[in-house]
Amino acid sequence: KGNLVVIESTAEGKEGYFYEYVQTAKARSELGKKPGITDYRLHFFPWWQEPTYRLSAYQPLTPALIQQFEVIESTMKTTLDAQQRNWYAAKAAKLGDDVYREYPGTIDEAFYLSTKGAYFISELSAARKAGRIGKVPHQPAINVNTWWDLGMDDCTAIWFTQDSGREIHCIDYYEMDGEGLAHYRDLLDKYRTEKGYRYGTHTGPHDLMVREWGGNGQKRIDTAANMGIKFEFVPAVKHKADAIQAVRNLLGHVWIDEMSCARGLKCLESYKKEWDEARGTYRDKPAHDWASHGADAFMTLACGHKFAVARQSSQSQIPSAAGWT
């Protein structure tokens, strides 16, 4: 009591206590609430406030940079002059996506992940720029389909989607660990009652056919059926890289609700290659961490959805992702 704590950091994506502290302080400020004695106050120092960050030599601006500058100006209520734009363009050319965290222009930019090691950042960035990440409302007249990653000793993750024409709308996401199938049956019932979801198909991974749930000697798919959840399942994918590539292919046709799917979106943004500390490089396989469950459930969607299957069939002569990596 009576002392001051200052936390200064370069962000590493949308996870961890630093991210949570910033979001809490930002929300409090936007609501006009004063921080209490144990609360943090947010101080943000964007690159464009530094008077020396200027460059007179002309730098070519890509359409993406021009759009980024427009977002900065509208969000932060500022105007960037030509020399500031030149300076940032030169930095971006050297740093690539790392420029967001090293020289953020808005608070949100500070938490953008680098594409280094992350599987889906480029596709998600394109979706965000195209306006496909934002508000995606539930349409009561359309069935809601669910796509699962089923945990035995860890998380179970579920994406809730609707097909709107040739678009796939992700309207909800849920994950939990340490719970049996009854918990998820009750969740589906709750969403049916409270949110008006009318279910179509429930699709899980291939291990529904081979692994027990609850120690009763039954296959998971049979246990679920006895409890009222009739699962379809996606056959096993020979190479994980193929499932990852399926997600990349599908993300161009997906709309994601940023609020209802916030946790799932974080999983997709944070799903990355495993880091080899000894060699100082990324291994050619994904890290198994908190982001894996949401990403794996999305792979169920990417490998099992009728739109994705149709595209994969039409591209059957194309070498698999495993062949490219």
Side-chain angles (χ1 to χ4, degrees):
K1 186 176 179 179
N3 289 290
L4 181 67
V5 175
V6 177
I7 300 177
E8 186 278 333
S9 180
T10 296
E12 292 287 349
K14 297 179 180 180
E15 58 183 295
Y17 72 87
F18 179 67
Y19 172 75
E20 299 299 336
Y21 286 173
V22 168
Q23 296 307 305
T24 300
K26 180 172 178 282
R28 185 184 299 110
S29 176
E30 290 173 347
L31 292 172
K33 295 182 178 180
K34 292 183 179 180
I37 192 170
T38 60
D39 296 326
Y40 286 100
R41 184 190 301 272
L42 177 61
H43 300 269
F44 175 62
F45 305 97
W47 64 267
W48 44 267
Q49 285 186 344
E50 169 54 51
T52 63
Y53 289 173
R54 309 177 64 81
L55 184 64
S56 57
Y58 170 76
Q59 302 291 315
L61 303 182
T62 64
L65 273 178
I66 293 173
Q67 185 177 27
Q68 184 181 348
F69 293 147
E70 291 174 352
V71 171
I72 291 174
E73 290 181 331
S74 62
T75 302
M76 306 301 290
K77 304 297 187 291
T78 188
T79 300
L80 304 177
D81 62 35
Q83 290 192 7
Q84 287 177 307
R85 293 176 178 229
N86 289 338
W87 180 91
Y88 187 87
K91 283 293 181 182
K94 287 184 178 180
L95 296 176
D97 287 342
D98 284 340
V99 74
Y100 291 121
R101 66 176 186 178
E102 298 297 338
Y103 298 101
T106 68
I107 294 173
D108 288 340
E109 277 188 6
F111 295 97
Y112 287 173
L113 276 172
S114 168
T115 57
K116 294 177 181 177
Y119 286 106
F120 308 129
I121 288 298
S122 295
E123 291 78 13
L124 291 170
S125 177
R128 195 177 291 278
K129 289 178 181 178
R132 290 188 286 106
I133 297 177
K135 182 63 177 176
V136 184
H138 167 235
Q139 301 180 60
I142 301 177
N143 284 347
V144 175
N145 303 314
T146 65
W147 311 87
W148 300 54
D149 176 59
L150 300 163
M152 284 290 286
D153 300 316
D154 50 15
C155 278
T156 288
I158 312 170
W159 286 91
F160 296 76
T161 71
Q162 291 184 295
D163 297 339
S164 181
R166 300 296 294 177
E167 301 171 0
I168 301 172
H169 291 185
C170 298
I171 61 169
D172 226 326
Y173 175 84
Y174 182 83
E175 73 173 46
M176 181 60 68
D177 59 4
E179 297 289 349
L181 181 58
H183 172 82
Y184 303 102
R185 177 202 59 198
D186 293 344
L187 173 79
L188 296 180
D189 290 342
K190 177 182 178 182
Y191 281 10
R192 180 188 291 112
T193 301
E194 295 183 357
K195 300 187 178 186
Y197 289 178
R198 184 184 69 191
Y199 295 111
T201 58
H202 303 293
T203 307
H206 68 282
D207 59 11
L208 274 167
M209 299 298 294
V210 296
R211 300 178 70 178
E212 298 177 1
W213 202 340
N216 56 12
Q218 286 186 318
K219 293 178 180 178
R220 286 176 157 193
I221 197 167
D222 295 328
T223 303
N226 291 337
M227 301 185 75
I229 305 176
K230 295 183 179 180
F231 272 110
E232 298 179 3
F233 71 94
V234 176
V237 178
K238 186 175 182 180
H239 300 287
K240 189 74 169 182
D242 289 329
I244 292 171
Q245 187 61 39
V247 172
R248 287 171 168 158
N249 294 340
L250 193 68
L251 280 172
H253 307 271
V254 167
W255 275 246
I256 302 176
D257 190 284
E258 192 163 20
M259 295 296 292
S260 297
C261 301
R263 175 69 176 184
L265 188 57
K266 281 186 185 181
C267 291
L268 293 178
E269 291 174 334
S270 303
Y271 189 64
K272 56 185 178 296
K273 295 180 180 180
E274 187 177 89
W275 179 255
D276 187 331
E277 194 69 40
R279 297 170 57 202
T281 187
Y282 289 100
R283 296 188 176 98
D284 194 20
K285 64 177 182 178
H288 184 73
D289 56 18
W290 65 269
S292 302
H293 312 292
D296 284 344
F298 204 91
M299 289 179 205
T300 301
L301 166 62
C303 295
H305 195 283
K306 60 183 180 181
F307 296 167
V309 171
R311 277 193 295 273
Q312 291 164 13
S313 298
S314 68
Q315 297 177 349
S316 59
Q317 301 303 314
I318 300 176
S320 71
W324 300 330
T325 55

